Amino acid sequence: MKQSRRIDPLLNRAQETEDAAARVLAERQSTLAQHEAQLVELRRYADEYGSSQMAATSPAQLANRRAFLDRLQSAVEQQSRAVDNSRQTVEIERGRLLLASRDKQVLEQLAASYRAQERQVDERRSQRELDDLGARRVRLNALAADGADA
């Protein structure tokens, strides 16, 4: 079996690995986009609620409003951490995809090199066969000429 054929299963596996890494990256990017959208929405709601001029009629209502604003701020902070974690995950997956792409590219270059070597060997073999055939014809023609002279 030729070397270029032996590397084909490795190339297929490298392609599968790259495809899987690309799928995971796309999923992580989608999750990041969702987290970012949720953060924007939470911030918008917290800003609207915080800037609204609701008339508090009792200290209990003021305390409830303050507690709700604190919970909103806590939710914004938590969502902000989720966005940061998602960004880190996206960067990790982007790195994995880059490595998988490089691995596949190295294997493709190796396979191309093997194919080029095999092509050269085939061309040399074909040329040698043509040279041998030409030499045989010259010998046959020389023998035929010698036989005709005798």
Side-chain angles (χ1 to χ4, degrees):
M1 178 180 268
K2 293 183 175 185
Q3 280 184 318
S4 63
R5 288 287 186 200
R6 282 186 273 171
I7 204 166
D8 284 345
L10 293 175
L11 272 171
N12 291 338
R13 181 69 180 130
Q15 182 66 51
E16 290 169 3
T17 301
E18 183 185 33
D19 292 346
R23 279 191 300 277
V24 170
L25 176 60
E27 290 170 6
R28 298 303 184 260
Q29 286 174 326
S30 175
T31 300
L32 173 60
Q34 290 171 356
H35 286 165
E36 287 174 333
Q38 289 172 347
L39 179 60
V40 166
E41 190 62 27
L42 268 173
R43 282 182 176 159
R44 184 189 60 75
Y45 182 71
D47 288 344
E48 285 177 8
Y49 190 82
S51 64
S52 67
Q53 298 298 325
M54 295 175 52
T57 57
S58 70
Q61 286 179 332
L62 277 174
N64 285 342
R65 179 176 167 78
R66 185 72 240 152
F68 185 68
L69 282 172
D70 288 344
R71 285 195 303 271
L72 272 177
Q73 187 57 39
S74 176
V76 166
E77 290 169 3
Q78 182 180 359
Q79 191 62 31
S80 183
R81 285 190 298 274
V83 166
D84 290 342
N85 289 339
S86 288
R87 281 191 183 123
Q88 289 174 351
T89 302
V90 164
E91 289 308 311
I92 290 169
E93 294 305 328
R94 187 173 284 128
R96 286 185 181 150
L97 177 58
L98 182 61
L99 289 174
S101 295
R102 286 181 186 164
D103 289 347
K104 185 186 81 166
Q105 190 175 24
V106 165
L107 287 172
E108 286 173 341
Q109 290 171 347
L110 184 61
S113 173
Y114 285 160
R115 286 185 188 98
Q117 289 173 358
E118 290 165 358
R119 215 174 13 260
Q120 286 177 343
V121 167
D122 288 343
E123 288 171 1
R124 283 191 215 123
R125 184 179 313 118
S126 295
Q127 186 61 47
R128 204 171 29 250
E129 289 172 1
L130 289 174
D131 291 347
D132 289 347
L133 182 61
R136 278 190 222 131
R137 284 189 178 163
V138 167
R139 278 195 308 265
L140 286 176
N141 286 340
L143 286 175
D146 286 343
D149 290 341

